[in-house]
């Protein structure tokens, strides 16, 4: 329906002028932020590299090396997410400025509504790019592994570790990541003693790296006939999956490899052969194991990948002069190193590093971790 400006009263004219000024100012702000983010993310360099990667991906011979083809495809996706988004924002700013002028001439209310929707979408895209500025570590874009280990406390702690396992699986699913449980040692009654999961997706490690630490649960125990309040601990350790572009040298003499029969479900074959593999890196004490496959060869390959990933994370922490222990056995899973407290009876979850908290405990335990993760990344935890 056309806007009849001549017939509008003074108040309405003022409101429409403010509406137009808001759109104009928002577009000017987007243009400024776009210029800043182009410099920060090295738009020109990434655009040149994207052209190279597109050329490589279109070479038929690339597919003779599936691993290399996968790496190129992954890099292309990351580059397009930055370059094409910035191109779209720049085009959207110019287009909407023209549309504002046209809508003013025609007095078209429907056009103004459409412009407002489009500008809101441009702001959303810009916010997502600005969020990526917080991913400042070389492995942030990579897939990741998460180790979850129950602290002391028997069934209570094991049940809590199982709840954390579910929380991170659900978080991965919410983000559209591919989630795979690599290894799981169930508790005697409930929950788990430990588990390792792999999250495959863009910026999986960058998003989850600040989750490393001890998580504390306070609740009235469902396993206590007197319904007493219990405190339980579980540790979480997040480390990136690394590929050949990250140099990690491992001396075979430093690694002890053991094979054993897989426990848990898997059929007759998996329980009768030594298909499970455990690797111990003697100089650092890092231990990894896999029993997810019936093939000892596959489990060995997975262990090698996990060991490389943990050693890479260890080196990054050394470079940053971080003294935090990487293995649960090197630090007490208790009060000292906790990062977040989950008090279910009071409907309160609080991050002890950022002071961010929420009362929606159900949503968080169901994988809604975005606000906690954003707060920790913004504060450089």
């Amino acid at each position: 329906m056309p806007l009849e400006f001549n017939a509008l009263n003074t108040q309405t004219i003022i409101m429409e002028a403010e509406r137009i000024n808001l759109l104009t100012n928002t577009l000017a702000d987007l243009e400024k932020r776009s210029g800043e983010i182009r410099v920060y993310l090295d738009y020109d360099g990434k655009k040149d590299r994207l052209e190279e990667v597109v050329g490589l991906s279109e070479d038929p011979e690339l597919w003779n090396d599936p691993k290399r083809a996968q790496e190129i495809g992954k890099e292309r996706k990351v580059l397009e997410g930055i370059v094409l988004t910035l191109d779209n924002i720049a085009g959207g700013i110019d287009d909407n400025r023209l549309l504002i002028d046209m809508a003013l001439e025609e007095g078209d209310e429907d056009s103004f509504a459409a412009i407002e929707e489009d500008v809101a979408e441009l702001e959303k895209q810009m916010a997502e790019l600005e969020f990526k500025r917080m991913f400042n570590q070389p492995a942030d874009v990579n897939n990741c592994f998460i180790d979850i280990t129950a602290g002391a406390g028997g069934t209570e702690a094991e049940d809590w570790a199982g709840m954390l396992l579910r929380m991170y699986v659900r978080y991965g699913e919410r983000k559209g990541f591919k989630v795979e449980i690599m290894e799981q040692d169930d508790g005697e009654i409930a929950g788990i003693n430990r588990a390792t999961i792999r999250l495959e997706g863009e910026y999986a490690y960058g998003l989850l790296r600040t989750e490393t630490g001890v998580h504390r649960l306070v609740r009235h125990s469902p396993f206590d006939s007197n319904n007493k309040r219990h405190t339980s601990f579980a540790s979480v350790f997040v480390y990136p999956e690394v590929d050949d572009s990250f140099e990690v040298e491992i001396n075979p003499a430093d690694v002890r490899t053991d094979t054993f029969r897989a426990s848990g479900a898997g059929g007759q074959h998996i329980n009768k052969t030594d298909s499970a593999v455990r690797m111990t890196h003697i100089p650092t004490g890092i231990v990894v194991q896999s029993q997810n496959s019936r093939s000892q060869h596959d489990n060995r390959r997975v262990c090698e990948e996990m060991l490389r990933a943990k050693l890479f994370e260890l080196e990054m922490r050394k470079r940053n002069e971080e003294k935090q222990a990487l293995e649960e056995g090197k630090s007490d899973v208790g009060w000292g190193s906790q990062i977040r407290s989950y008090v279910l009876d009071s409907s309160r979850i609080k991050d002890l590093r950022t002071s961010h908290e929420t009362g929606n405990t159900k949503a968080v335990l169901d994988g809604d971790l975005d606000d906690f993760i954003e707060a920790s990344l913004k504060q450089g935890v």
Side-chain angles (χ1 to χ4, degrees), residues 328-343:
E328 290 81 2
K330 295 179 184 177
S331 62
D332 178 33
V333 182
W335 294 92
S337 53
Q338 63 180 305
I339 65 167
R340 191 173 300 144
S341 182
Y342 305 70
V343 185

Side-chain angles (χ1 to χ4, degrees), residues 29-217:
D29 180 60
L30 282 171
E31 186 173 47
K32 178 183 176 183
R33 290 158 63 191
S34 177
E36 292 172 349
I37 203 75
R38 279 171 177 257
V39 174
Y40 185 86
L41 295 178
D42 185 20
Y43 169 85
D44 291 335
K46 285 182 169 58
K47 185 176 182 179
D48 291 342
R49 177 56 183 167
L50 178 58
E51 291 176 359
E52 295 177 12
V53 168
V54 169
L56 289 171
S57 64
E58 293 174 350
D59 182 356
E61 293 188 5
L62 175 67
W63 301 100
N64 294 329
D65 185 350
K67 185 176 181 181
R68 176 63 175 159
Q70 186 177 20
E71 291 172 357
I72 289 296
K74 179 181 176 182
E75 184 180 4
R76 179 175 178 173
K77 182 180 179 182
V78 172
L79 290 169
E80 287 179 341
I82 295 173
V83 174
L84 298 186
T85 301
L86 281 169
D87 287 346
N88 180 69
I89 290 173
I93 292 170
D94 292 339
D95 291 345
N96 281 290
R97 279 175 170 158
L98 291 173
L99 289 171
I100 289 173
D101 291 338
M102 293 171 59
L104 273 172
E105 290 177 6
E106 300 173 4
D108 189 349
E109 166 62 26
D110 291 339
S111 293
F112 275 113
I115 292 168
E116 287 171 331
E117 289 182 9
D118 196 37
V119 171
E121 178 59 29
L122 292 177
E123 284 197 293
K124 180 181 177 182
Q125 292 176 20
M126 178 60 71
E128 290 173 354
L129 277 179
E130 289 172 334
F131 185 70
K132 288 182 179 179
R133 293 180 65 170
M134 292 180 281
F135 299 134
N136 52 20
Q137 297 190 12
D140 276 349
V141 73
N142 287 29
N143 306 328
C144 73
F145 297 101
I146 304 178
D147 290 348
I148 302 168
T149 305
T155 300
E156 284 293 334
E158 291 169 352
D159 187 53
W160 173 223
M163 292 167 66
L164 287 174
L165 172 61
R166 178 183 179 276
M167 182 178 78
Y168 288 116
V169 167
R170 293 303 303 273
Y171 173 80
E173 292 171 347
R174 281 171 174 259
K175 289 295 182 183
F177 295 156
K178 178 182 177 183
V179 182
E180 183 179 5
I181 297 179
M182 309 301 296
E183 187 259 338
Q184 180 174 327
D185 179 16
D186 292 332
E188 291 186 11
I189 298 175
I192 59 169
N193 284 308
R194 67 177 181 275
T196 298
I197 61 176
R198 175 178 178 270
L199 298 181
E200 178 181 333
E202 191 176 329
Y203 292 100
Y205 176 66
L207 285 165
L208 284 158
R209 59 177 160 83
T210 60
E211 289 297 294
T212 292
V214 173
H215 296 242
R216 169 179 174 250
L217 172 72

Side-chain angles (χ1 to χ4, degrees), residues 314-379:
L314 176 59
E315 180 61 26
M316 286 200 302
R317 287 175 180 268
K318 284 181 179 177
R319 290 177 184 177
N320 294 329
E321 298 181 350
E322 294 178 4
K323 305 301 182 182
Q324 178 179 342
L326 299 184
E327 292 297 312
E328 290 81 2
K330 295 179 184 177
S331 62
D332 178 33
V333 182
W335 294 92
S337 53
Q338 63 180 305
I339 65 167
R340 191 173 300 144
S341 182
Y342 305 70
V343 185
L344 301 192
D345 302 328
S346 302
S347 295
R348 183 182 178 216
I349 299 177
K350 181 175 182 178
D351 194 292
L352 305 178
R353 304 160 301 175
T354 65
S355 295
H356 179 78
E357 63 179 274
T358 181
N360 195 349
T361 57
K362 184 179 184 301
V364 172
L365 293 175
D366 202 33
D368 186 2
L369 296 169
D370 288 336
D371 289 344
F372 283 101
I373 287 172
E374 183 173 348
S376 62
L377 288 173
K378 283 181 176 179
Q379 293 193 24

Side-chain angles (χ1 to χ4, degrees), residues 260-276 291 293-294:
F260 56 98
R261 291 186 181 181
S263 61
Q268 201 172 23
H269 171 75
I270 197 170
N271 291 318
K272 286 195 172 183
T273 62
D274 291 343
S275 59
Q291 59 179 20
S293 172
R294 296 187 179 191

